[in-house]
Amino acid sequence: MAHRPPYTNTGPAPHLAGGRLTIDLSALAANYRLLAARSAPAEAAAVVKADAYGLGLEPVARALWTAGCRRFFVALPHEGVALRAVLPEAQIFVFNGLFAVEAAAAYHDARLIPVLNSQSDISIWEAHGWDGEHPRPCAVHVDTGMNRLGLTLERARTLAEENALTGALTPNLVMSHLACADTPDNPMSRKQLELFQAVRVLFPETESSLCNSAGIFLGDDFLADLTRPGIALYGGSPTGGNGNPMQVVVTAEARVAQVRQLRAGDTVSYGATPLARDSIVAVCSVGYADGYHRAASGAGVPLRRAVAGSAHGFIHGHKVPVLGRVTMDLTLFDVTALGPDAVAVGDHVELFGPNMPIDQVAEAAGTIAYELLTSLGGRYHRNYLGGESL
Ligand SMILES: *Cc1c(COP(=O)(O)O)cnc(C)c1O
């Protein structure tokens, strides 16, 4: 029997699962190549934190490596350790820093590069980041307006001066993070870029990095030496709704468990939402425990935020609205428009994918594609396309 990587199919078997995910690794690779071309002459890294945005660290990392990606970012040290087991030669940065002295050994063993965000991170790495005679590489994060992680510009200046004398650190990257890159007209990005130029001057020998996915599309002066796309690799729009140049990577579908013919005035789901008309309802075996957010519940449900219309699924050529509340394991879709007998048990409703753009579904649920992907969970059958040769 031909060798098949263990991730070609994962999760529960198709006939035992309530939904299925198709993850197209060829589309992922194409998205990486597009972002790399857009980033040139800067190099494109890949952000694979949170299990590669919920899509599976190992298959995603292998596909990106095969597509030519050599530098990766994760959020947490344990994610870096897991990635090292997959990619022995990659350069791996850890955004959230060192945490504690006890973590330094794990950074050494897995050859992880900490992003130093604070004085505490700096002190730990100055004391414990040595490899015999030499300080191991690190990255320095300077805050330019997020006020989340990172050194102040003043602290970065003293660090650069001190380090020029002591050589206690070997920074190989200086980075910052944009707060508003997904709204291209926002003047905040350019303000941050100006501060970042001042940071780059402090570390003239060191490579620099500013852009997430959306930042890559703000203009060439933002690109610096290394870009850090995440969501756009996975098919989310990096251009804030102005068309999406990325290929679809993830298709999420829910199995139809039952079809009901209901009358006007009948009620559906928790809270008993009344139906305004006679309806055909497809009951599907995916719910909020599978990342189909409760906030995607149908129009007229009191708990919904005031956002436009219902979230929609897609089946047999039609967009179909969610009906009533999304529950933990089940979601109802109104398939009346398809007519009687059009939808059968065992059919699948596309939750998002080529026919239902993920960004539209996220917006209807009052959230973003990032949150839909990272909450997919482990109950779908997963089919990875294009992974056979990795
Ligand atoms: C998550 C993250 C990224 C990737 O952002 P996307 O918007 O998904 O491209 C880049 N940089 C930092 C610091 C991050 O936390």
Side-chain angles (χ1 to χ4, degrees):
M1 207 173 104
H3 170 74
R4 291 177 73 81
Y7 48 78
T8 301
N9 286 281
T10 64
H15 58 286
L16 303 180
R20 62 187 183 204
L21 289 181
T22 307
I23 298 169
D24 185 343
L25 298 174
S26 307
L28 172 77
N31 286 344
Y32 175 75
R33 288 191 292 266
L34 177 76
L35 293 164
R38 286 294 304 232
S39 299
E43 183 182 339
V47 179
V48 294
K49 59 194 179 187
D51 199 31
Y53 288 47
L55 303 189
L57 180 65
E58 182 174 350
V60 165
R62 282 191 199 284
L64 290 168
W65 178 269
T66 304
C69 184
R70 293 296 175 264
R71 306 169 92 181
F72 294 80
F73 288 85
V74 293
L76 300 167
H78 75 84
E79 296 176 336
V81 171
L83 180 56
R84 177 57 73 211
V86 179
L87 297 180
E89 294 168 56
Q91 203 176 65
I92 302 173
F93 295 90
V94 181
F95 279 135
N96 286 17
L98 277 160
F99 287 5
V101 172
E102 294 76 24
Y107 277 83
H108 295 185
D109 292 346
R111 290 172 286 120
L112 307 179
I113 301 175
V115 176
L116 307 181
N117 292 298
S118 65
Q119 185 51 49
S120 141
D121 284 345
I122 292 169
S123 305
I124 294 171
W125 205 243
E126 282 180 346
H128 300 278
W130 292 76
D131 181 7
E133 299 279 281
H134 304 288
R136 295 170 190 263
C138 62
V140 175
H141 181 185
V142 184
D143 179 62
T144 53
M146 278 286 279
N147 279 309
R148 193 173 62 165
L149 291 176
L151 308 177
T152 62
L153 194 53
E154 294 69 42
R155 181 65 192 98
R157 187 167 289 122
T158 8
L159 174 68
E161 285 165 9
E162 287 167 4
N163 199 54
L165 298 174
T166 62
L169 295 176
T170 311
N172 69 352
L173 188 74
V174 57
M175 60 166 272
S176 193
H177 191 43
L178 296 167
C180 304
D182 55 345
T183 49
D185 296 335
N186 196 316
M188 180 75 180
S189 298
R190 206 146 274 285
K191 238 175 76 186
Q192 288 191 271
L193 175 61
E194 278 166 28
L195 290 172
F196 190 61
Q197 307 293 20
V199 174
R200 294 179 75 180
V201 172
L202 299 176
F203 299 89
E205 309 293 315
T206 307
E207 283 191 297
S208 62
S209 173
L210 180 61
C211 290
N212 65 343
S213 299
I216 294 170
F217 293 81
L218 289 179
D220 289 354
D221 44 348
F222 283 83
L223 296 171
D225 300 309
L226 183 71
T227 59
R228 310 187 305 268
I231 193 69
L233 291 168
Y234 311 114
S237 175
T239 50
N242 305 323
N244 184 358
M246 311 317 299
Q247 292 190 21
V248 173
V249 173
V250 191
T251 305
E253 296 169 294
R255 185 175 187 280
V256 177
Q258 217 176 85
V259 181
R260 310 182 80 96
Q261 319 270 343
L262 299 177
R263 297 241 165 250
D266 286 349
T267 61
V268 292
S269 195
Y270 289 118
T273 306
L275 295 176
R277 55 169 192 185
D278 293 356
S279 303
I280 308 170
V281 177
V283 181
C284 295
S285 297
V286 161
Y288 60 74
D290 308 293
Y292 201 64
H293 287 215
R294 190 162 176 269
S297 294
V301 173
L303 62 88
R304 272 182 61 80
R305 282 167 33 111
V307 289
S310 297
H312 285 75
F314 187 90
I315 183 166
H316 303 330
H318 292 259
K319 270 179 79 173
V320 291
V322 175
L323 209 52
R325 289 188 196 176
V326 174
T327 72
M328 186 184 294
D329 316 299
L330 294 163
T331 301
L332 280 55
F333 289 92
D334 180 354
V335 297
T336 314
L338 280 73
D341 305 322
V343 176
V345 169
D347 289 352
H348 281 79
V349 172
E350 181 183 316
L351 303 175
F352 54 82
N355 302 294
M356 277 306 309
I358 187 169
D359 291 286
Q360 270 180 32
V361 178
E363 192 182 348
T367 183
I368 52 178
Y370 303 68
E371 201 179 17
L372 291 188
L373 292 180
T374 55
S375 41
L376 285 169
R379 302 204 301 183
Y380 291 89
H381 173 70
R382 292 177 175 229
N383 185 21
Y384 290 91
L385 304 179
E388 292 78 5
S389 59
L390 300 179

